[in-house]
Amino acid sequence: MGIGDDELNRHAALFMNALDHAFMLAEQNVTRRDKNPLFWSLRDAFITRDIKGLTKELQYSFQSFLVRQKFSKELEDNQKRLLDLRFPHEWFPATRMMQRTIHVHVGPTNSGKTYNALKALENSKRGVYAGPLRLLATEVYQRLQAKGRPCALITGEEVRIPEDTDQYFSSCTVEMVPLNMQFDVAVIDEIQMIADPERGGAWTTALLGVQAKEVHLCGEDRTVRLLEALCASIGDKCIVHRYERLSPLKMMNSAIQGDYNKLQKGDAIVAFSRLSLHVLKRNIETHTGRRCAIIYGSLPPEVRVQQAALFNDPNNDYDFVVASDAIGMGLNLEIRRVVLESITKFDGNQNRLLSYPEIKQIGGRAGRYRTAQSAAVGDAEETEKEKVGLVTTMDRADLRNVAQAFQRSVPDIDYATIQPPAGLVERFASYFPPDTPLSFILMRIKAAATVGSKYRLNISSDALEIADIIQDLPLTIYDRLTFCYLPVTLRAEGAVNILRALARVLATNSTGDLLDIKEIPLEFLDVKMEDYPGGSQQYLAKLEALHVAINQYVWLSYRYAGMFRSQDLAFHVRQLVEEKLISTLERLDFTEEQLENRRKSKRLQAQSRDISRKAIGEDGADELKQERGREHEDDLVLDIPMRGKTQRTRFRQQDTA
């Protein structure tokens, strides 16, 4: 920051006293954002991002101390005007020139809301579908293709454009919605994800920015008030369509308890890791003598379609399917009963319990009304008799949480997540020295921005971590931001070195040929599991890390085609890795006792996490939720005790919020 040791030590002492005072106030139950902003921001960082988030927030807060007196009043006013993000709809002037009609389709899972929205899409001349998963985008792409409608598939890792026409539909992951094209109809699926702290900004951008005469939003009822308010604020007409379940849903009072003989035809066993899915498939087939299909996101699209068709066909011996939670987001399967293998899920940092909406969404897939096959032939009268959907768990210990999820109401969603546009970040960065860390600039924007009551600004923890990993490389702000949204698994072996190697290609304008990036361990394809000294699970982890690295290369090849030129080779290598992954997973030998122990361990971790959060005050989550949305423009004056005297220190709210 260009200051001497004496000044640095003086600021450090002041910061330590500020911390002492913040925690003293907290001990007196003064924890609100407007009364104790420093403690609030540290606690919020720990709650949302654990120890890594707390460390980053401490670093940011101290850096803010160092820069807070370096700007003149005029410069501060300029920054404040730049960071006025109350009206994000103004970022899309071409869309604001249109008079749009927003159709909001809401209801529980298996109510037909997405089916009706897709019907409107199919009946248009030119439309776009946006969903949360590549798997769902592929399903809609195949559905439109099967009905003779030319369609493009646009995801972060795959782009297929029709070659024989320039008039076509588009099926995308939500981050990839074309905002510079005009459509008759747009369908945005799983709109409740608009509040997701990591990805919600993509849903907000799609909603505010897509240039379509009709926009159909599909999701949960708890989004209606927010969506009506957003439509009113931008002048779009809003029509709400409410749906009821097309078949009843019942919670069972007994679990499977590892007895695979209790499984019945039409059961879907839902698990949250690739390893668990393959082990379950093998154990089920071994114990029952019947076949089990398997479906999860990273399977090749053709394999997923084949597996779904095998399960949906009543005239074969594929009685069961093991699937990831992707089935909760609309994948069409003829499921009679959902069996949750676990109610914990790894969130990128540690295991957590599934939220009540997640459990409802996954469990609600039982008793499906219409499959993709019946929709393709227009069989709208498929259900002559009532189908009862059933929900249970693998372990009795999880039954109570699942039952509570279906009994309790869930609060309305009251904000949409936004992210700062790249142009704004570039302009704001110009106020700081060229070597200022991007992570600091992003956190400064988050803290200092003025945001409307219906929005919440968020910067993902992965983006901040990636920004620090590549900070020393000579990249533009735009390129740094691009890398911040690269799909990563930073905990994987070699992930940081691979990330830096990919960024170095851009920074040094060097060759980006896949074979020249030595950090990507392509030679591991030649290693056999039985010859690998680290054991089967470590072997699997290295294969998965290689799969992530190849996906990163493909992702970059669509954004920097002139640099990362080995796209065809990357596609071929990715297919080889996927085949080897499937082969390896099918050979893993896990007993039911080992699976049960894994579930028990994850459950204890998740419960321990919840207990810890309640201990630091997250049981006041409603207060946190409300306070995050408030903006306080006044400075806060704190009297900070300092070794026998009191120093009055002025904190700007944006410094610590």
Side-chain angles (χ1 to χ4, degrees):
M1 292 287 183
I3 62 176
D5 289 345
D6 290 343
E7 187 179 359
L8 180 64
N9 290 333
R10 184 176 67 82
H11 281 289
L14 179 62
F15 183 62
M16 290 300 296
N17 279 280
L19 285 173
D20 289 341
H21 187 70
F23 280 89
M24 181 189 71
L25 287 176
E27 289 173 355
Q28 299 169 4
N29 291 324
V30 179
T31 59
R32 281 177 43 177
R33 185 177 185 179
D34 56 336
K35 302 296 184 184
N36 193 355
L38 181 55
F39 175 81
W40 188 94
S41 60
L42 294 174
R43 182 182 67 171
D44 184 56
F46 181 68
I47 286 172
T48 56
R49 303 193 304 276
D50 297 301
I51 193 67
K52 286 196 299 186
L54 177 61
T55 302
K56 174 61 69 177
E57 188 69 31
L58 275 169
Q59 179 185 359
Y60 162 73
S61 296
F62 183 56
Q63 289 171 330
S64 291
F65 259 66
L66 298 180
V67 303
R68 73 185 190 277
Q69 295 176 341
K70 290 185 177 292
F71 295 116
S72 66
K73 182 69 167 62
E74 182 181 1
L75 278 178
E76 285 193 340
D77 289 344
N78 289 341
Q79 290 182 14
K80 190 172 183 179
R81 283 192 292 271
L82 177 61
L83 297 181
D84 183 354
L85 308 184
R86 291 174 296 168
F87 311 108
H89 57 273
E90 295 178 353
W91 302 343
F92 311 100
T95 311
R96 300 287 76 78
M97 297 293 290
M98 303 179 69
Q99 179 59 54
R100 303 187 305 172
T101 299
I102 311 296
H103 293 269
V104 182
H105 303 264
V106 294
T109 309
N110 192 17
S111 60
K113 55 186 183 293
T114 306
Y115 174 81
N116 284 296
L118 290 176
K119 276 294 184 185
L121 177 67
E122 292 170 8
N123 292 331
S124 69
K125 293 182 179 179
R126 184 183 180 95
V128 59
Y129 168 85
L133 302 172
R134 183 176 58 165
L135 184 152
L136 297 181
T138 303
E139 185 179 83
V140 172
Y141 164 79
Q142 291 167 337
R143 170 179 176 151
L144 290 169
Q145 292 275 69
K147 295 193 173 187
R149 290 167 174 79
C151 185
L153 176 65
I154 308 172
T155 74
E157 299 164 11
E158 186 174 17
V159 176
R160 302 181 194 176
I161 304 294
E163 297 179 354
D164 53 351
T165 178
D166 58 359
Q167 292 292 318
Y168 52 82
F169 291 80
S170 298
S171 185
C172 320
T173 45
V174 72
E175 286 86 355
M176 302 298 292
V177 174
L179 299 179
N180 58 350
M181 298 173 63
Q182 291 194 352
F183 302 98
D184 296 316
V185 171
V187 175
I188 304 175
D189 212 352
E190 306 298 341
I191 190 62
Q192 69 276 1
M193 289 192 71
I194 200 169
D196 184 80
E198 300 291 322
R199 296 183 64 198
W203 270 262
T204 306
T205 297
L207 169 59
L208 299 180
V210 68
Q211 296 186 54
K213 300 171 186 174
E214 285 186 18
V215 181
H216 293 257
L217 310 176
C218 305
E220 299 176 15
D221 189 79
R222 60 197 181 107
T223 61
V224 169
R225 288 201 300 176
L226 170 66
L227 297 175
E228 287 178 329
L230 294 181
C231 290
S233 70
I234 59 181
D236 287 339
K237 182 179 179 181
C238 183
I239 302 172
V240 178
H241 310 267
R242 285 188 164 87
Y243 301 80
E244 300 296 331
R245 268 191 68 90
L246 299 170
S247 61
L249 186 68
K250 293 183 179 180
M251 179 70 204
M252 300 183 69
N253 57 13
S254 61
I256 301 299
Q257 288 293 96
D259 183 358
Y260 295 116
N261 290 319
K262 292 182 180 178
L263 295 177
Q264 303 167 7
K265 186 174 179 63
D267 280 353
I269 301 88
V270 180
F272 302 98
S273 75
R274 189 156 42 186
L275 186 148
S276 294
L277 289 169
H278 279 271
V279 173
L280 281 167
K281 168 181 165 64
R282 194 204 50 149
N283 287 356
I284 289 169
E285 291 182 338
T286 299
H287 285 82
T288 66
R290 289 174 285 175
R291 304 300 299 277
C292 181
I294 182 168
I295 298 173
Y296 55 89
S298 58
L299 278 175
E302 295 77 16
V303 176
R304 293 196 302 261
V305 171
Q306 174 207 43
Q307 293 290 303
L310 288 170
F311 175 71
N312 284 337
D313 185 352
N315 299 316
N316 63 26
D317 60 348
Y318 277 82
D319 288 358
F320 319 113
V321 62
V322 291
S324 68
D325 53 335
I327 69 167
M329 291 188 175
L331 187 64
N332 283 302
L333 295 168
E334 274 286 354
I335 298 169
R336 178 177 175 271
R337 178 173 66 173
V338 167
V339 180
L340 286 158
E341 188 254 355
S342 172
I343 59 166
T344 64
K345 182 179 181 180
F346 187 73
D347 65 1
N349 291 309
Q350 58 185 320
N351 289 300
R352 65 167 177 85
L353 292 171
L354 295 178
S355 67
Y356 286 166
E358 286 173 324
I359 292 174
K360 283 183 175 181
Q361 190 170 39
I362 296 168
R365 287 294 156 188
R368 292 294 296 171
Y369 176 70
R370 181 178 286 109
T371 66
Q373 179 182 2
S374 64
V377 298
D379 183 8
E381 305 296 330
E382 183 194 15
T383 52
E384 291 105 0
K385 61 179 182 179
E386 184 176 70
K387 291 185 177 181
V388 177
L390 302 173
V391 183
T392 188
T393 60
M394 187 64 74
D395 297 335
R396 172 168 286 279
D398 293 331
L399 271 176
R400 181 180 177 186
N401 271 8
V402 175
Q404 287 177 341
F406 284 98
Q407 292 167 0
R408 295 189 181 180
S409 58
V410 181
D412 283 350
I413 291 173
D414 52 13
Y415 63 86
T417 302
I418 58 172
Q419 293 172 335
L424 182 146
V425 177
E426 290 175 317
R427 292 197 299 275
F428 188 71
S430 68
Y431 287 101
F432 298 88
D435 60 346
T436 302
L438 176 61
S439 62
F440 173 79
I441 291 170
L442 292 173
M443 292 188 73
R444 183 73 181 170
I445 289 173
K446 180 182 177 182
T450 304
V451 181
S453 62
K454 297 299 180 184
Y455 297 98
R456 179 183 298 172
L457 181 67
N458 192 69
I459 311 293
S460 80
S461 53
D462 275 352
L464 296 172
E465 193 166 352
I466 292 171
D468 284 339
I469 289 170
I470 62 174
Q471 179 58 42
D472 62 313
L473 299 175
L475 293 164
T476 66
I477 293 291
Y478 181 87
D479 289 337
R480 291 184 191 280
L481 286 170
T482 300
F483 267 83
C484 283
Y485 296 102
L486 180 73
V488 295
T489 306
L490 291 172
R491 297 172 74 252
E493 181 180 346
V496 171
N497 289 335
I498 292 170
L499 175 63
R500 285 181 57 80
L502 293 170
R504 198 179 298 116
V505 169
L506 201 60
T508 61
N509 198 28
S510 57
T511 174
D513 292 339
L514 181 60
L515 296 177
D516 292 337
I517 303 174
K518 302 305 181 186
E519 288 81 359
I520 299 179
L522 298 177
E523 66 279 0
F524 196 72
L525 279 171
D526 295 327
V527 179
K528 297 180 180 179
M529 186 172 75
E530 52 269 23
D531 297 333
Y532 185 68
S536 59
Q537 290 207 53
Q538 190 176 346
Y539 180 83
L540 177 64
K542 289 183 76 70
L543 273 179
E544 289 181 327
L546 177 57
H547 190 252
V548 170
I550 298 299
N551 276 335
Q552 290 173 342
Y553 187 95
V554 171
W555 191 90
L556 289 167
S557 73
Y558 284 118
R559 290 153 181 82
Y560 301 99
M563 303 289 293
F564 299 93
R565 298 172 294 186
S566 307
Q567 190 183 77
D568 289 341
L569 176 60
F571 285 146
H572 177 65
V573 172
R574 182 167 70 182
Q575 182 180 353
L576 293 177
V577 176
E578 288 169 348
E579 290 171 357
K580 197 153 191 170
L581 269 170
I582 293 171
S583 172
T584 302
L585 286 162
E586 289 177 345
R587 294 165 59 196
L588 290 178
D589 188 16
F590 270 75
T591 66
E592 178 54 34
E593 183 180 1
Q594 288 172 313
L595 274 182
E596 185 178 353
N597 288 335
R598 279 170 57 87
R599 294 194 294 269
K600 189 178 296 184
S601 173
K602 291 179 179 180
R603 189 185 304 119
L604 289 173
Q605 290 175 25
Q607 290 171 344
S608 174
R609 180 190 190 191
D610 274 11
I611 291 170
S612 298
R613 291 185 164 194
K614 288 179 180 177
I616 64 168
E618 198 186 3
D619 48 348
D622 288 341
E623 174 197 338
L624 278 174
K625 187 177 179 182
Q626 294 166 4
E627 293 295 332
R628 280 195 195 105
R630 296 179 186 167
E631 294 300 327
H632 303 282
E633 298 180 357
D634 297 334
D635 289 353
L636 178 65
V637 178
L638 301 179
D639 291 325
I640 301 178
M642 293 186 63
R643 292 182 176 83
K645 61 180 181 178
T646 297
Q647 174 162 327
R648 177 157 289 202
T649 301
R650 182 172 298 275
F651 289 87
R652 291 179 179 83
Q653 189 66 29
Q654 58 265 31
D655 286 340
T656 54

